[in-house]
Amino acid sequence: MISSYPHLIDLNDYPPSWWKEVVELGEKIKNNPEIYSGACNGKIMATLFYEPSTRTQMSFQTAMLRLGGRLIGFDNPANSSVSKGETLKDTTKIVSNYADILVMRHPVAGAAKAAALSADCPVINAGDSGHLHPTQTLTDLLTLKCEKGRLDHLTIGLCGDLINGRTVHSLLKAMSCFEGNSFVLISTPELKLPSYIKDILKASGCPFKEVSSLEEVLPELDVLYMTRIQQERFSSREEYLAQKDTYILTVKKMKAAKPDMIVLHPLPRVDEIEVELDEDPRAMYFNQAKYGMYVRMALIITMINLKSETRLFHGKVYKDVSCKNPNCITCTEKYLPKSFIPIGDTMLQCEYCSERLLLER
Ligand code: NCD
């Protein structure tokens, strides 16, 4: 299925050379923002946030305003016709005719792809449940380029909620495309990385290991990407409490890290990084959030001027098969074509939420 608009649902919809161009433009904007102050004059961006956000929403909004554009949208679907039962399809169809570009965050996996199916303007995925978050990855790439000087030959530790952390999923998918990177996945057994992302790492040839101790691996790392435990994605409070506070980065622990290791965090922080660590020059998370604004300015300019079409599905539609993930958009938006990619002879991977299911024979 081809959409006649360019969308950014997953960074891997575009080649790494394209991401690099966006990141390079982000760096140019950071150095000379005034040159770009009229780049989106007369354009309107819609931000449809069905899930809470501070940085992603406001950095997109300030990015558009700084480019001379204007904004419409909601940050609480209860204030829109969504509360009257309007489908994602209808909301998207309408709003995409009011705006030149649409940015969507949603608590259900695959929502941005579903929106792109009916949108009459480019759609940017600003996070779909615990699945993907491509614009946080662009933020992370610009931060790495500016603060480490490269996107390759880095040993990156990712720590915390690796199963639900969409920023982790998108970052690993992207960084495994650059030469010489290796990954240390630090989590409890319950919060391990989903197997479909591990398969992507294996296919890329980038070495990775799964460990449970942060202290043991800290001295090896060039970058430590901390994440919060995503309370809202657990099925019970007990399960969340059992995981909470497992990993806390402290000033004391940081003594074992390389002098030039940087600490990243997509934020919000709960308590996984001690506040005292903010004074350490290696603590880069607040700068990272600012890089996010510049890279989103670059992304908006790029997407608004891009003339390409987007191929939204690569597999095929199976009329009699349903995705088994209760948090997949195909479960709530019943009209969507159920498209899957075959994995070997026995499995299918949902093209909305990436969940795998066994084919019944
Ligand atoms: C992250 C997100 O929303 O996925 N935050 C962000 O976009 N800056 C991380 C999180 O919520 O933990």
Side-chain angles (χ1 to χ4, degrees):
M1 226 164 288
I2 311 254
S3 160
S4 34
Y5 297 92
H7 303 289
L8 178 61
I9 308 303
D10 177 347
L11 219 42
N12 298 67
D13 295 336
Y14 296 87
S17 55
W18 186 88
W19 323 336
K20 278 190 167 165
E21 278 171 30
V22 175
V23 167
E24 273 158 25
L25 179 58
E27 196 174 3
K28 281 192 196 146
I29 296 174
K30 173 177 136 334
N31 295 334
N32 283 301
E34 59 291 345
I35 297 179
Y36 301 88
S37 62
C40 287
N41 275 349
K43 301 287 183 192
I44 294 180
M45 182 172 80
T47 51
L48 301 190
F49 276 62
Y50 292 75
E51 201 185 45
S53 169
T54 302
R55 272 149 296 274
T56 306
Q57 184 183 208
M58 288 194 197
S59 65
F60 260 117
Q61 292 175 340
T62 191
M64 190 53 162
L65 294 171
R66 284 165 191 266
L67 295 169
R70 283 171 295 161
L71 306 166
I72 58 170
F74 58 70
D75 57 11
N76 180 358
N79 295 337
S80 75
S81 283
V82 174
S83 64
K84 301 178 190 166
E86 186 167 68
T87 60
L88 188 71
K89 178 180 182 179
D90 291 2
T91 307
T92 309
K93 190 84 194 156
I94 302 303
V95 176
S96 66
N97 278 295
Y98 296 159
D100 301 288
I101 189 159
L102 194 159
V103 180
M104 178 177 286
R105 167 167 289 193
H106 204 285
V108 180
K113 182 172 277 192
L117 271 175
S118 53
D120 289 318
C121 75
V123 173
I124 296 178
N125 181 7
D128 59 330
S129 185
H131 185 219
L132 295 171
H133 195 345
T135 71
Q136 179 63 43
T137 298
L138 289 171
T139 300
D140 302 338
L141 296 183
L142 178 59
T143 310
L144 289 172
K145 182 162 186 292
C146 294
E147 299 300 333
K148 295 301 290 179
R150 62 187 195 277
L151 299 175
D152 48 36
H153 299 92
L154 292 166
T155 301
I156 305 174
L158 301 105
C159 177
D161 192 345
L162 306 190
I163 190 166
N164 297 306
R166 55 193 172 196
T167 63
V168 167
H169 305 164
S170 286
L171 182 61
L172 282 168
K173 286 177 73 174
M175 291 308 283
S176 64
C177 294
F178 298 112
E179 215 188 312
N181 288 333
S182 60
F183 307 102
V184 184
L185 309 172
I186 310 153
S187 78
T188 61
E190 291 79 10
L191 299 185
K192 274 187 175 180
L193 194 70
S195 49
Y196 89 93
I197 307 271
K198 275 187 244 174
D199 287 348
I200 293 171
L201 296 183
K202 282 179 203 154
S204 75
C206 289
F208 70 94
K209 61 180 176 185
E210 294 184 281
V211 302
S212 56
S213 163
L214 171 61
E215 288 83 338
E216 267 171 36
V217 294
L218 204 49
E220 308 166 21
L221 307 177
D222 299 313
V223 179
L224 173 60
Y225 198 91
M226 290 297 292
T227 62
R228 78 183 165 97
I229 309 298
Q230 307 244 322
Q231 179 172 4
E232 69 278 26
R233 314 225 187 267
F234 283 76
S235 42
S236 74
R237 183 152 172 82
E238 289 66 40
E239 282 172 70
Y240 165 67
L241 291 176
Q243 298 296 327
K244 188 183 173 296
D245 298 339
T246 314
Y247 300 103
I248 300 182
L249 187 63
T250 60
V251 170
K252 191 163 165 240
K253 286 182 196 164
M254 274 295 280
K255 291 201 166 78
K258 288 183 188 171
D260 63 347
M261 184 196 83
I262 58 168
V263 182
L264 302 184
H265 191 311
L267 303 177
R269 156 173 61 184
V270 181
D271 54 6
E272 56 284 345
I273 300 178
E274 198 177 58
V275 173
E276 288 69 28
L277 198 80
D278 298 354
E279 306 312 316
D280 189 316
R282 295 171 292 180
M284 207 50 71
Y285 27 92
F286 295 126
N287 308 45
Q288 185 185 358
K290 190 158 185 191
Y291 285 122
M293 175 183 77
Y294 295 120
V295 94
R296 289 184 173 104
M297 289 171 80
L299 180 65
I300 295 168
I301 295 176
T302 305
M303 297 298 293
I304 275 187
N305 293 302
L306 205 61
K307 293 285 174 276
S308 67
E309 300 179 322
T310 308
R311 184 160 176 197
L312 292 168
F313 297 112
H314 300 267
K316 62 177 196 177
V317 174
Y318 291 70
K319 287 209 168 57
D320 304 325
V321 182
S322 295
C323 180
K324 299 277 184 291
N325 174 8
N327 197 38
C328 174
I329 195 70
T330 55
C331 297
T332 43
E333 306 276 324
K334 299 285 185 202
Y335 54 83
L336 290 168
K338 301 198 174 45
S339 189
F340 296 89
I341 294 178
I343 311 277
D345 293 336
T346 55
M347 264 199 289
L348 294 178
Q349 182 166 316
C350 174
E351 288 215 76
Y352 295 86
C353 70
S354 305
E355 192 90 355
R356 289 173 177 182
L357 60 100
L358 275 175
L359 254 182
E360 283 160 25
R361 302 210 161 248

